[in-house]
Amino acid sequence: MSKLKKIVFLLVIMIITLMTVTVGAAKIPDSWSNFKSAKEMNITRFNQSPVLDEKVKSGELPPVEDRLPVPEDTMVIEPLEEIGEYGGTVTSAAIGPASWADGSCYLPFMMYVNEDLSKYVPDILKGYELTNKNKTLILYLRKGLKWSDGYPFTTEDIMFWWEDTAIHPEVNHWTQWGWKTDGVNPKFTALDDYILKIEFPEPRPLIVKQVLSWWKSEQNFFFSPKHYLKQFHVDYNPEVKKIAEEKGYGTWVQYFEDKREIGPGQQNADLPVLGPWMLKERNSTEKVFVRNPYYYVVDTEGNQLPYVDHWVIKFKSDAEVAKVDALQGNIDFASRILTASE
């Protein structure tokens, strides 16, 4: 594997590992259990991929320092082996077009569990407090964190998920159940754009473990881009029922759910995301992702991640075909298909 391919592969694995426990035989840096901010690391200059330079020059994108959260809240990741190089394409494989063996199922969580399962590490969140005898949860968001289209990510996006999706009488999404206590809803209150209070009727000492530190806290399971999705929601757009019918949907809720779906089954390339990758296009044979220019993470030299320009996921008929392609050098990795030794 070439040096660039190796660096690219390790950085993809690094991002994926934030939501997993181990990466083959790689030694996970101790700093991954206690991320520091750019301010704490004395990083004052930030860098971006050269492919974004022209977009900044033309005014299509703001400068990289304006796309990141404030320095106190910009997350710094120590690379597994060395600082990477910008550029290149990583190719992976999946069994079919919407398989959970597809690496795109790895979305950032609010928090995750560190390697030895001893600590909850903030990711999208900056931090949290569980007070009032475990009945009040306070969440602190990263100031200046933005969606992939540049719109601010705030407590409104969590409130939209809760009020207009999870407990909405027509949408009534099942993700509400992780937050209920003996069938009773908690009270969600946005104290400001970056602080959210959740009050439970009874103590919930395990709420971080049960919900906030795994997939129940990812996009659509705990937050959604209100500024984008409200156009497909009947409470904000009364015409959406007619539009949904014209497009062949049985209900406006089906239309809404289709527009907000993320992960392996995502069809909507316009959906804003928070993770390192944005879906650019998909067809019957592959999906193509490009970097999120507003991703909130940098390396220890202030280089905004990810390093890779494109991530292509090739659809394969079965695991054996994927393994043969890997041996022939046609794919770089196959999440949940190939083992580390393969």
Side-chain angles (χ1 to χ4, degrees):
M1 184 181 289
S2 68
K3 180 181 177 182
L4 177 59
K5 285 281 189 178
K6 182 179 180 182
I7 292 173
V8 164
F9 173 74
L10 287 173
L11 263 297
V12 171
I13 290 297
M14 182 178 70
I15 292 169
I16 289 175
T17 307
L18 294 179
M19 283 73 76
T20 60
V21 175
T22 184
V23 183
K27 175 64 175 70
I28 296 176
D30 292 339
S31 62
W32 286 22
S33 290
N34 186 27
F35 287 121
K36 293 185 180 297
S37 69
K39 184 175 183 179
E40 291 173 314
M41 296 289 289
N42 295 315
I43 298 174
T44 58
R45 181 175 178 176
F46 300 99
N47 309 300
Q48 64 187 7
S49 167
V51 302
L52 299 179
D53 289 345
E54 188 58 40
K55 292 185 177 182
V56 173
K57 185 177 179 180
S58 68
E60 182 179 345
L61 283 176
V64 61
E65 57 269 19
D66 294 336
R67 302 196 308 267
L68 293 167
V70 297
E72 300 94 309
D73 290 347
T74 293
M75 193 165 84
V76 179
I77 288 182
E78 178 186 353
L80 280 174
E81 293 189 356
E82 60 184 321
I83 297 296
E85 300 174 6
Y86 283 121
T89 297
V90 161
T91 303
S92 64
I95 309 303
S99 169
W100 283 95
D102 180 340
S104 66
C105 68
Y106 294 104
L107 303 171
F109 302 160
M110 283 289 170
M111 306 181 71
Y112 70 95
V113 185
N114 71 344
E115 182 183 11
D116 63 6
L117 309 180
S118 65
K119 184 178 181 181
Y120 301 110
V121 184
D123 189 344
I124 296 174
L125 279 182
K126 179 181 180 178
Y128 76 97
E129 291 180 287
L130 189 56
T131 63
N132 188 26
K133 297 182 179 180
N134 297 319
K135 293 198 295 183
T136 301
L137 178 65
I138 306 292
L139 304 181
Y140 300 93
L141 307 186
R142 298 180 184 275
K143 293 182 179 179
L145 176 59
K146 300 174 181 66
W147 290 96
S148 56
D149 60 0
Y151 202 89
F153 171 74
T154 70
T155 50
E156 276 200 356
D157 298 306
I158 299 176
M159 296 301 296
F160 177 78
W161 160 79
W162 179 248
E163 295 178 342
D164 298 315
T165 305
I167 62 171
H168 188 274
E170 292 183 75
V171 184
N172 193 30
H173 201 263
W174 61 268
T175 48
Q176 64 183 281
W177 288 99
W179 292 94
K180 290 179 180 289
T181 304
D182 294 330
V184 179
N185 287 333
K187 180 182 179 182
F188 279 63
T189 305
L191 301 182
D192 62 26
D193 284 347
Y194 302 105
I195 303 177
L196 184 82
K197 180 171 69 173
I198 305 173
E199 299 171 283
F200 301 97
E202 299 292 337
R204 292 292 300 271
L206 300 179
I207 190 64
V208 173
K209 176 182 179 180
Q210 293 172 337
V211 180
L212 279 182
S213 59
W214 61 324
W215 58 265
K216 288 185 179 180
S217 69
E218 67 186 28
Q219 184 167 338
N220 288 352
F221 293 95
F222 186 63
F223 59 90
S224 293
K226 177 180 179 177
H227 70 283
Y228 173 76
L229 288 175
K230 65 182 182 181
Q231 65 183 303
F232 309 111
H233 197 292
V234 73
D235 287 0
Y236 299 87
N237 179 11
E239 297 298 315
V240 77
K241 289 184 177 181
K242 180 180 178 181
I243 296 171
E245 183 179 354
E246 290 173 348
K247 291 183 176 293
Y249 291 89
T251 66
W252 74 267
V253 174
Q254 293 175 350
Y255 182 42
F256 175 70
E257 292 286 8
D258 189 48
K259 288 297 184 181
R260 79 186 196 101
E261 183 174 4
I262 193 171
Q266 181 182 347
Q267 300 285 339
N268 182 11
D270 294 327
L271 179 69
V273 298
L274 292 181
W277 302 101
M278 308 183 300
L279 178 66
K280 180 181 180 182
E281 60 182 289
R282 65 178 292 159
N283 54 44
S284 60
T285 62
E286 66 181 23
K287 290 190 285 191
V288 179
F289 292 83
V290 296
R291 68 164 42 80
N292 171 5
Y294 291 90
Y295 189 46
Y296 53 94
V297 182
V298 301
D299 67 18
T300 49
E301 292 188 0
N303 300 308
Q304 186 187 33
L305 300 180
Y307 296 133
V308 191
D309 288 333
H310 299 91
W311 176 14
V312 179
I313 300 175
K314 300 282 188 181
F315 305 146
K316 304 298 178 181
S317 57
D318 56 54
E320 291 306 312
V321 172
K323 291 179 181 180
V324 170
D325 270 7
L327 291 173
Q328 293 177 343
N330 297 325
I331 60 175
D332 299 303
F333 74 97
S335 175
R336 300 188 181 184
I337 298 176
L338 304 182
T339 64
S341 61
E342 292 173 322

